Amino acid sequence: MSYAIIGSGAIGGALAKQFARSKIKAVVANRRGPASLGDALQAFAPTVSAAEITDAMDAEVIILAVPFGAVGEVAKLRNDWTGKIVVDATNAIEFPSFKPLDLGGQPSSHVVAKQFKGAKVVKAFNTLPAAVLADEPRRSEGHRTIFVSGGNADANEKVALLATLLGFSPIILGRLEEGGLLQQFGGPLTMHSLIHSNPINGIES
Ligand SMILES: NC(=O)c1ccc[n+]([C@@H]2O[C@H](COP(=O)([O-])OP(=O)(O)OC[C@H]3O[C@@H](n4cnc5c(N)ncnc54)[C@H](OP(=O)(O)O)[C@@H]3O)[C@@H](O)[C@H]2O)c1
């Protein structure tokens, strides 16, 4: 699979670090362009490299590490996302109150999925604070847990395998209206750093 991380801030940087650590190739893109990423990605070269955002969209798996409010701008880069897996690592947060955005009860990833027409949208990598996501996931007591939800079982499995290869222990929670609601911001599974002491998917990379 080919991977792109959209966003080079706290979460994009944490994921870039994990891809480099696990020697899985990925490109990173942001609003400002590849020249802005030279220093930040130097330590992760050549596994992780900078790309123009339009080129990053060629990846099979596109990880959204942008503010929730910027998702629409990324989605507009293509008319048709058929064949792509879009991993939604965003949290829908109202600022400055830091409360969940009022989306009328719909899962935040449904809002994302409506904008990426044709894509298989999987929610993952959104539940850990960025510093924890960047930390070594293979702990002496087990592997750090990543939750995965989405409406397409095959896409869920592919993202779970990615999480495993990055050193995490994924738990697939079901569809966006099931697990997605649990793991989205304001749900019971956000911001908990859980360690799976006996990861059944614990493939060492
Ligand atoms: N921080 C956390 O602990 C944490 C934890 C879990 C989930 N999240 C979620 O993860 C997402 C990213 O959070 P963050 O803390 O990493 O944010 P951040 O540090 O502010 O970084 C945001 C990144 O998104 C990029 N970006 C913004 N608009 C864009 C656009 N239209 N096209 C391409 N790139 C764009 C920015 O590009 P430029 O650098 O060019 O401006 C920047 O690199 C948010 O949805 C957040 O809720 C954050």
Side-chain angles (χ1 to χ4, degrees):
M1 303 292 291
S2 55
Y3 300 98
I5 301 165
I6 311 304
S8 58
I11 290 295
L15 287 168
K17 185 174 183 181
Q18 298 298 5
F19 273 82
R21 186 181 260 150
S22 299
K23 298 187 172 48
I24 301 171
K25 282 181 89 67
V27 296
V28 179
N30 62 9
R31 271 182 303 199
R32 290 166 296 147
S36 70
L37 288 164
D39 290 345
L41 297 185
Q42 204 171 17
F44 308 145
T47 312
V48 177
S49 56
E52 293 288 353
I53 193 159
T54 44
D55 295 335
M57 297 301 143
D58 291 339
E60 293 163 289
V61 178
I62 294 164
I63 306 176
L64 298 176
V66 299
F68 186 73
V71 164
E73 286 169 44
V74 180
K76 280 185 196 144
L77 292 169
R78 280 187 181 229
N79 294 326
D80 184 4
W81 294 89
T82 303
K84 304 284 185 192
I85 295 176
V86 172
V87 180
D88 177 19
T90 71
N91 279 328
I93 302 173
E94 180 184 286
F95 293 101
S97 64
F98 210 69
K99 289 184 179 156
L101 263 183
D102 183 358
L103 301 172
Q106 64 180 323
S108 63
S109 288
H110 272 182
V111 177
V112 172
K114 279 179 195 160
Q115 301 179 79
F116 284 85
K117 296 214 179 327
K120 293 166 184 159
V121 172
V122 178
K123 187 150 198 68
F125 301 113
N126 72 300
T127 53
L128 297 173
V132 178
L133 186 66
D135 199 10
E136 170 58 72
R138 306 165 185 89
R139 319 298 302 178
S140 57
E141 63 273 34
H143 292 208
R144 207 180 303 282
T145 297
I146 285 289
F147 297 107
V148 176
S149 302
N152 182 280
D154 180 57
N156 287 350
E157 290 292 347
K158 286 191 165 103
V159 175
L161 177 61
L162 169 65
T164 301
L165 294 172
L166 293 176
F168 295 93
S169 178
I171 297 179
I172 298 176
L173 296 173
R175 295 179 298 168
L176 295 175
E177 57 273 34
E178 299 165 340
L181 284 174
L182 297 176
Q183 69 181 88
Q184 75 181 31
F185 188 77
L189 297 178
T190 40
M191 299 301 151
H192 294 299
S193 173
L194 305 176
I195 301 286
H196 197 171
S197 61
N198 185 22
I200 51 174
N201 293 319
I203 303 166
E204 297 293 341
S205 58

